[in-house]
Amino acid sequence: MPQATASDADSASPPAAELPLLTLTAMVVGSMVGAGVFSLPGRFAEETGVAGALIAWGVAGTGMLMLAFVFQSLAVRRPDLDAGVYAYAKAGFGEYLGFFAAFGYWASTCVGNVTYWVLIMSTAGSVWPALGDGDTALAVVLSSLGLWTFFWIIRRGVKEATAINRVVTVAKLVPIVLFVILALVYFEPRVFADNFGGADYAGSLFTQVRGTMLATVFVFLGVEGASVYSRHARRRSDVGRATVLGFLSVFAVFASVTIVSYGILPMDEIAALRQPSMAGVLESAVGTWGRVFISAGLVVSVLGAYLAWTLMAAEVLFVAAKDDDMPRFLRRANAVDVPVPALLMTSLLTQVVLVATSFSDDAFNFALNLTSALSLIPYLLAAAFAVRIGSRDDPLTEGGRTSRRELVCALVATLYTAFLLYAAGLKFLLVSFILYTPATALFVMARREQGRRLFSPGELLVLAVSVVGAVLGLVALAAGWISL
């Protein structure tokens, strides 16, 4: 397949593929409904009972809905900004923090993609022991084959890939909805009541709720999916509609999956289940076919989410390069509008992290939590940008200053994402700095290509903070204060 040269890409880009509302909504749903939903029963049961779960979903649902409203508002108020999270951070807080948002969002998608392969192999490991928990040598080899197969599929074109995503999105919702229905049929009120307050190991109610926060962040990652693909939208207003429609749909599914599980098994037994825990819950209710059914649904769901996330990851690098915030080689796209170098870089980082999982004690949970932590800084910057344009006059804001309702949504979203950083804890923040700091080399490459000064005084301060954080993270790892 012919590929554009660097000079071709710099002078003219192929026309962006136009995507309708239904496809954009499918991108949001497809991005969020992936590995996370199948692990929710076990993840929640490790931390909290029914009461804590209800509060956690209330907090997470409200916070993420406000964030969805933020993306909806920004898509209309600042139609000049493409690529969502990255573009908003740059417009609000400068090029270097915008670069950090782009890299952090991109890195979170790559690490998140690793959880998909680990979970697929762990699921298959229940019948093929050589795959273990998805972190054996054989599992890594098979996952790598799948990874590069998807690289080839996506390279064929955005329209082809999103068409596959629409089909997969519908197919993967069927087993999840059926799980909720069957769990309600076999629901035992006595078991549910025993699980209401949580087990002795769960701690105080606040501790229980805090412990679930990263799990809720992971399953909601992708709420910005339509914003990331805003340059492809047929109508700009479709970006906001797709974001809210997609969020409300999956929120109902996620909360239902979690709550009904407490009526099937005691929470300590749910917590001890092998991932995907949803399969174990259904197996205890209906027998072996329940595990097989959910496991098959998981494979379809995860592969669909992997497709959507890989598309978004490559898109972020591509648009950042088009804006001169990443090296020029990442702005190249082939004849069918696929940013192949960005896609290749995404696949390579995913491959590296995939190999690294074989050295981790708990590959799935660590990758899941790191994915959530990496995404929080970009989310926080986007929400804070919405507060900024809502509290002052900005000639670039369509329709003038944003409404009071939009400003309130932005303030709540900012407070929520800040709380999530606190809930994540110091460990994942330090590990995030270890990834962020070396990435500055890409920023330096872009500045040198443009013959510009490498850092402004403010950017040097941000760099210093990130370097200190990375050094502290490395020291903590070496000393055993934190572990992977």
Side-chain angles (χ1 to χ4, degrees):
M1 183 173 295
Q3 182 170 319
T5 64
S7 58
D8 291 336
D10 289 348
S11 59
S13 298
E18 291 189 351
L19 304 177
L21 174 62
L22 183 61
T23 299
L24 286 171
T25 303
M27 290 295 293
V28 176
V29 175
S31 302
M32 285 193 281
V33 181
V37 63
F38 292 92
S39 65
L40 279 176
R43 288 278 296 176
F44 265 71
E46 289 174 0
E47 304 289 349
T48 187
V50 177
L54 290 171
I55 295 172
W57 282 121
V59 172
T62 301
M64 278 296 180
L65 180 60
M66 295 303 103
L67 196 58
F69 283 147
V70 164
F71 287 120
Q72 180 186 43
S73 173
L74 290 176
V76 175
R77 297 291 187 173
R78 291 297 303 269
D80 57 308
L81 300 177
D82 287 322
V85 176
Y86 150 72
Y88 302 143
K90 177 185 176 183
F93 305 101
E95 294 182 3
Y96 191 39
L97 281 177
F99 167 83
F100 264 16
F103 177 84
Y105 182 81
W106 172 73
S108 74
T109 64
C110 294
V111 178
N113 281 348
V114 171
T115 66
Y116 298 154
W117 293 117
V118 171
L119 196 56
I120 287 176
M121 295 301 153
S122 175
T123 302
S126 63
V127 294
W128 191 1
L131 296 177
D133 290 324
D135 53 2
T136 65
L138 178 61
V140 171
V141 169
L142 293 179
S143 296
S144 300
L145 290 175
L147 187 161
W148 292 106
T149 298
F150 268 80
F151 171 82
W152 178 80
I153 292 173
I154 296 171
R155 190 180 183 277
R156 293 176 61 87
V158 170
K159 286 187 176 179
E160 287 78 359
T162 53
I164 295 172
N165 183 69
R166 284 198 302 270
V167 175
V168 170
T169 297
V170 174
K172 69 187 180 181
L173 288 175
V174 172
I176 299 172
V177 173
L178 187 57
F179 168 84
V180 174
I181 294 173
L182 289 173
L184 288 172
V185 170
Y186 289 90
F187 191 87
E188 296 186 27
R190 179 186 57 79
V191 175
F192 185 81
D194 290 342
N195 287 332
F196 193 84
D200 294 336
Y201 62 78
S204 68
L205 190 58
F206 176 80
T207 301
Q208 293 179 42
V209 172
R210 177 185 172 185
T212 65
M213 284 294 99
L214 282 183
T216 59
V217 174
F218 182 79
V219 295
F220 281 133
L221 292 180
V223 67
E224 73 292 336
S227 297
V228 172
Y229 255 70
S230 56
R231 76 183 180 98
H232 293 279
R234 184 171 294 171
R235 291 184 299 271
R236 190 73 188 193
S237 58
D238 286 347
V239 175
R241 294 189 187 119
T243 299
V244 175
L245 285 174
F247 169 81
L248 293 176
S249 300
V250 298
F251 173 70
V253 172
F254 292 162
S256 298
V257 165
T258 306
I259 301 304
V260 298
S261 298
Y262 286 110
I264 304 299
L265 288 171
M267 60 178 288
D268 57 340
E269 292 185 25
I270 299 175
L273 290 172
R274 179 192 182 97
Q275 292 292 6
S277 54
M278 186 193 291
V281 171
L282 191 58
E283 181 181 31
S284 69
V286 302
T288 304
W289 75 266
R291 170 174 289 279
V292 175
F293 178 72
I294 293 298
S295 297
L298 175 141
V299 173
V300 174
S301 178
V302 166
L303 292 179
Y306 181 86
L307 171 63
W309 275 76
T310 304
L311 280 167
M312 287 196 294
E315 184 75 2
V316 168
L317 285 183
F318 174 75
V319 176
K322 294 283 285 185
D323 288 345
D324 293 324
D325 294 310
M326 289 282 182
R328 290 173 184 165
F329 75 93
L330 292 172
R331 70 174 66 169
R332 301 173 189 164
N334 64 12
V336 288
D337 195 30
V338 176
V340 177
L343 178 63
L344 177 61
M345 192 167 167
T346 297
S347 299
L348 287 172
L349 180 59
T350 304
Q351 179 70 76
V352 170
V353 178
L354 183 61
V355 172
T357 59
S358 60
F359 301 99
S360 175
D361 293 334
D362 189 347
F364 177 76
N365 280 326
F366 178 78
L368 184 152
N369 289 333
L370 182 58
T371 300
S372 301
L374 283 167
S375 68
L376 291 178
I377 292 178
Y379 278 175
L380 178 61
L381 291 174
F385 174 61
V387 173
R388 182 171 181 173
I389 67 171
S391 57
R392 66 179 67 179
D393 292 325
D394 185 346
L396 296 177
T397 302
E398 293 284 336
R401 184 180 296 186
T402 55
S403 67
R404 181 173 297 178
R405 182 192 70 82
E406 290 173 307
L407 180 58
V408 169
C409 289
L411 284 168
V412 173
T414 302
L415 291 172
Y416 172 66
T417 48
F419 169 72
L420 290 176
L421 278 172
Y422 161 75
L426 185 60
K427 169 183 175 178
F428 291 104
L429 187 61
L430 292 178
V431 174
S432 296
F433 277 127
I434 295 174
L435 294 177
Y436 273 115
T437 303
T440 299
L442 294 173
F443 184 79
V444 171
M445 286 176 61
R447 285 287 175 94
R448 284 180 173 171
E449 288 174 347
Q450 302 158 42
R452 298 175 56 190
R453 179 181 179 180
L454 296 184
F455 297 99
S456 68
E459 291 170 340
L460 282 175
L461 178 60
V462 176
L463 175 62
V465 171
S466 66
V467 170
V468 170
V471 170
L472 288 175
L474 290 172
V475 170
L477 283 171
W481 300 333
I482 62 175
S483 63
L484 302 182

